[in-house]
Amino acid sequence: MTARTKRAGTRLAGGMAGALLTLTAFAAAPAQAAGYRYWSFWESDGGKPWAYATQGPATARPADGDSLGFRFAISNGTEDTSLPSVAPDFAGICEGVEKKDGSKRIAVVVDFGGPVDAPPGETPPEKPVMVGCAEVREDATGAEALAAVAKPLRYDSAAMLCGIAGYPARGCGEQVEETGQKPPERPAAQESQGPGPSVGVLVGGAAVLALGGAAIWKARRRG
């Protein structure tokens, strides 16, 4: 084996050892916090499926015929997939409500979540979902539409929506550490992988390292 080949093999071996340590560190990394407990905000335009709102209810201005959804749940990832359990059925929720001049009709769905979502010491309302047809002025915000059907509302000093119809009575957007509780179920089509590499990635990385080791061994044999 030449000195050059020996040095190359040493560098490659060192790089693989570092990669192996990195993979091991990822595998041994502790699980992160479960997420945040808060009211998520959803919207639907003209009977389309729920879509996560791109702005808060205080600035959103829905049009006549739109639906707004609010779901109290624990968000477990970068994308919240805890949808309201009732579809955005404007025709059904606002059935029989005629549009009046200077006003608009907004279907509102409020999903209080389940016991697993409730803050410690609190219990969700006996009726898990509230629906209503808000009749508000044409330039009204989503927050005003919500207030028309689900008072009282509670906000924090930063104008974050903390409580709807008195629930929950305390707290606002707290971080939830892992407690062994089962997180809210996610729709199968929107299931996302949690933080950290998957087992398949780790196994694949180990296979790459093994192949690299074999290559070094063969290089030494040829040397």
Side-chain angles (χ1 to χ4, degrees):
M1 178 188 300
T2 65
R4 182 177 180 181
T5 301
K6 184 175 181 180
R7 287 196 300 271
T10 300
R11 287 196 297 270
L12 181 56
M16 288 194 302
L20 180 58
L21 288 173
T22 301
L23 287 170
T24 304
F26 270 119
Q32 298 182 3
Y36 292 86
R37 181 185 287 113
Y38 73 109
W39 281 103
S40 59
F41 177 38
W42 304 80
E43 55 190 2
S44 169
D45 176 10
K48 296 177 183 178
W50 288 122
Y52 199 84
T54 57
Q55 57 186 313
T59 56
R61 295 186 185 276
D64 181 74
D66 287 352
S67 299
L68 301 181
F70 299 84
R71 167 70 189 265
F72 190 77
I74 297 175
S75 171
N76 292 281
T78 56
E79 181 179 356
D80 195 325
T81 54
S82 298
L83 292 165
S85 59
V86 172
D89 181 16
F90 173 82
I93 296 174
C94 289
E95 182 179 8
V97 180
E98 299 293 332
K99 187 181 184 311
K100 300 175 182 176
D101 292 340
S103 68
K104 59 185 176 182
R105 302 156 300 164
I106 309 297
V108 178
V109 174
V110 178
D111 188 333
F112 295 98
V116 71
D117 305 309
E122 298 210 37
T123 303
E126 184 175 346
K127 188 174 181 180
V129 179
M130 174 188 297
V131 298
C133 185
E135 294 183 87
V136 291
R137 67 180 190 279
E138 289 184 336
D139 64 344
T141 65
E144 291 173 301
L146 174 63
V149 300
K151 288 182 178 180
L153 304 182
R154 181 170 60 86
Y155 294 88
D156 68 3
S157 58
M160 178 176 178
L161 180 61
C162 305
I164 299 177
Y167 180 80
R170 298 172 298 279
C172 193
E174 299 91 350
Q175 186 173 11
V176 180
E177 301 296 336
E178 288 195 11
T179 60
Q181 290 181 321
K182 181 181 178 181
E185 292 186 0
R186 296 168 178 265
Q190 300 184 41
E191 192 72 33
S192 60
Q193 182 175 306
S198 67
V199 173
V201 172
L202 295 176
V203 172
V208 171
L209 293 177
L211 291 173
I216 290 177
W217 180 80
K218 288 181 180 180
R220 288 179 175 175
R221 292 275 294 180
R222 287 195 300 268

